[in-house]
Amino acid sequence: MNTIFLFASLLSFLLIGMPIAISLGLSSILTILLFQNDSLASLSLKFFQTTEQFTLLAIPFFILAGNFLTTGGVAKRMINFAISAVGHLPGGLAIASVLACMLFAAVSGSSPATVVAIGSIVIAGMVRVGYTQAFATGVIVNAGTLGILIPPSIVMVVYAAATESSVGRLFIAGVIPGLLLGLGLMVAIYIAARIKKLPRQPKVPWRERLALFREALWGLLLIFIVMGGIYGGVFTPTEAAAVAAVYAFVAAVFIYRDLKITDVPQVLLDSGRVSVMLMFIICNAFLFGHVLTTAQIPQDIARLITDAQLSPWHFLLIVNIILLVAGNFMDPTAIVLITAPILFPTAMQLGIDPIHLGIVYVVNMEIGLVTPPVGLNLFVASGITGMPLMQVVRAALPWLMVLLSFLILITYVPIISTFLPDLLFGSAIK
């Protein structure tokens, strides 16, 4: 009965438009008061214990780093370098936009930030040289999702905190899938460009390419500082996030000088707003997870699946269906925090690699960012271009097929996700 009440109350609160954080917290408190013996004091203790997780400290730092890079001129220089590298191919400007999204994803950790930083520059540029606005917007909406797949990734940090997995292993696991998905989008654009005879840019001489690479180098160095520092044992992923924030500040204010020192307080304020919002959701979601665990819900579900003798193949199919449906209505952070405590124990019983499951989660969250009614990338792109939301949805749909095909591949070919972590650290399954 308490399980039914917990989920029914959560769904009811969401349907009446209550914010996700309040819905999670209020449904948890009501369930505790009506059906369980826990005191409100233990509930408040759990709420504040969540904020003490060292791993979660990475989130505000990565948000701050992304805001410095977005506000500064780092994205513009990455775009110029990407265009010089692949702009001469059929559909080259669109392919360069995907490459720029991949590069920016490797320093920002956020999909909406990637869409804003790259889309606000390249969509207008593509329209100017002959692409339709729908084509340009559709490409950026989907390529922007690479912000949470190519490390560092805020969603990976949240998944690691929820499942007590290794952030470092998750980050390195996202490298090959991120490169493959980016390449898949580029191939799809190339094929479409050949069919539609889309324009290509003049070939840039190697000397000019090298000059543009040097201009973008300070931004690109952040990739090697963060990833090299983590895997070289210099600092933890959380410390890497702090280093990234400081480096992004120095690069934007003192090296590129695109950001005035007087603009820094506004960047800090914007980052603080987003961080507080995310952390409030996370704290309430951990509260929700505590109620789930107390009610033995994950254990009951694991027992049901075990009794039904589901194979890992079937279980992963169920996971994808649950996450794809949830992605239509909820924020990625909330989805991970609500579903991971339920699905993760069963996955471990079935012998599924926790890192593989994490990448499956992230790819599902990518798709959720481009599916209505709550797809955040759709709203961001609509704000940038001025297009009505439904036009953005239609523009994104053809490229969404690439993401769905990739989800099938990443789900049932686990070595794509596990090869690099296993090579560097050994298998996660003991």
Side-chain angles (χ1 to χ4, degrees):
M1 183 64 189
N2 58 353
T3 305
I4 296 171
F5 179 83
L6 178 66
F7 285 101
S9 58
L10 174 63
L11 185 61
S12 300
F13 294 146
L14 291 173
L15 287 174
I16 63 174
M18 191 177 288
I20 180 68
I22 304 296
S23 301
L24 288 166
L26 187 56
S27 59
S28 302
I29 291 170
L30 288 174
T31 305
I32 288 284
L33 289 174
L34 296 174
F35 298 100
Q36 296 182 10
N37 295 323
D38 278 7
S39 65
L40 288 178
S42 69
L43 218 56
S44 62
L45 183 63
K46 181 67 181 176
F47 187 90
F48 286 105
Q49 279 177 343
T50 303
T51 62
E52 296 175 355
Q53 287 203 40
F54 184 64
T55 304
L56 293 176
L57 193 59
I59 293 174
F61 283 123
F62 278 130
I63 290 170
L64 181 58
N67 278 348
F68 275 127
L69 296 171
T70 305
T71 311
V74 176
K76 181 175 64 179
R77 290 170 175 83
M78 286 182 174
I79 291 167
N80 290 337
F81 168 64
I83 293 171
S84 74
V86 296
H88 59 280
L89 299 172
L93 195 51
I95 293 174
S97 300
V98 175
L99 178 58
C101 285
M102 294 170 71
L103 293 173
F104 194 80
V107 296
S108 71
S110 166
S111 284
T114 303
V115 174
V116 169
I118 306 300
S120 57
I121 300 171
V122 300
I123 291 176
M126 281 194 269
V127 172
R128 201 160 42 242
V129 300
Y131 293 81
T132 65
Q133 189 180 42
F135 186 97
T137 304
V139 166
I140 294 300
V141 166
N142 285 274
T145 64
L146 291 164
I148 61 170
L149 181 58
I150 294 177
S153 163
I154 292 171
V155 173
M156 288 182 186
V157 173
V158 173
Y159 173 86
T163 62
E164 298 184 358
S165 301
S166 164
V167 179
R169 289 180 67 94
L170 279 165
F171 278 6
I172 202 67
V175 172
I176 293 178
L179 294 176
L180 280 178
L181 180 54
L183 183 61
L185 287 168
M186 289 179 185
V187 170
I189 291 167
Y190 182 84
I191 294 169
R194 296 297 294 265
I195 295 170
K196 297 183 177 184
K197 301 190 183 329
L198 293 174
R200 61 174 82 187
Q201 303 302 301
K203 194 165 187 177
V204 177
W206 279 102
R207 181 174 294 180
E208 191 176 335
R209 290 187 198 185
L210 188 59
L212 290 168
F213 173 75
R214 280 199 296 266
E215 280 190 26
L217 184 60
W218 288 106
L220 297 173
L221 273 176
L222 185 55
I223 303 171
F224 299 101
I225 290 171
V226 170
M227 302 306 289
I230 292 171
Y231 301 112
V234 180
F235 36 66
T236 67
T238 303
E239 291 164 346
V243 171
V246 173
Y247 181 89
F249 164 74
V250 172
V253 176
F254 298 110
I255 298 175
Y256 290 134
R257 298 182 182 177
D258 293 308
L259 188 69
K260 296 177 182 176
I261 197 73
T262 53
D263 296 328
V264 171
Q266 186 60 46
V267 174
L268 293 171
L269 185 62
D270 292 342
S271 302
R273 284 197 190 107
V274 177
S275 299
V276 168
M277 178 188 72
L278 272 179
M279 290 304 295
F280 189 51
I281 293 173
I282 289 168
C283 288
N284 280 286
F286 269 90
L287 205 61
F288 188 84
H290 171 68
V291 176
L292 288 175
T293 306
T294 306
Q296 298 281 303
I297 294 169
Q299 294 87 333
D300 290 343
I301 292 173
R303 195 158 41 249
L304 281 172
I305 291 175
T306 304
D307 293 342
Q309 297 184 330
L310 286 181
S311 66
W313 187 93
H314 290 108
F315 175 75
L316 287 171
L317 177 62
I318 293 170
V319 168
N320 281 335
I321 292 170
I322 292 170
L323 297 181
L324 287 173
V325 171
N328 288 310
F329 304 102
M330 295 171 65
D331 173 82
T333 302
I335 296 171
V336 172
L337 291 168
I338 291 170
T339 62
I342 300 171
L343 300 173
F344 185 79
T346 307
M348 296 306 96
Q349 281 195 14
L350 293 173
I352 296 170
D353 190 296
I355 302 304
H356 173 222
L357 182 66
I359 299 302
V360 170
Y361 254 88
V362 172
V363 176
N364 273 287
M365 297 306 98
E366 287 188 283
I367 294 170
L369 287 167
V370 293
T371 50
V374 188
L376 190 53
N377 282 14
L378 299 172
F379 287 96
V380 172
S382 177
I384 292 171
T385 61
M387 292 172 64
L389 184 65
M390 288 314 298
Q391 284 187 26
V392 177
V393 172
R394 283 194 291 271
L397 192 58
W399 310 106
L400 181 59
M401 297 302 106
V402 177
L403 269 66
L404 288 168
S405 302
F406 182 71
L407 174 62
I408 296 170
L409 178 69
I410 210 74
T411 301
Y412 296 113
V413 187
I415 195 171
I416 297 172
S417 307
T418 59
F419 174 73
L420 272 184
D422 288 352
L423 181 69
L424 293 176
F425 307 113
S427 176
I429 300 178
K430 303 297 182 187

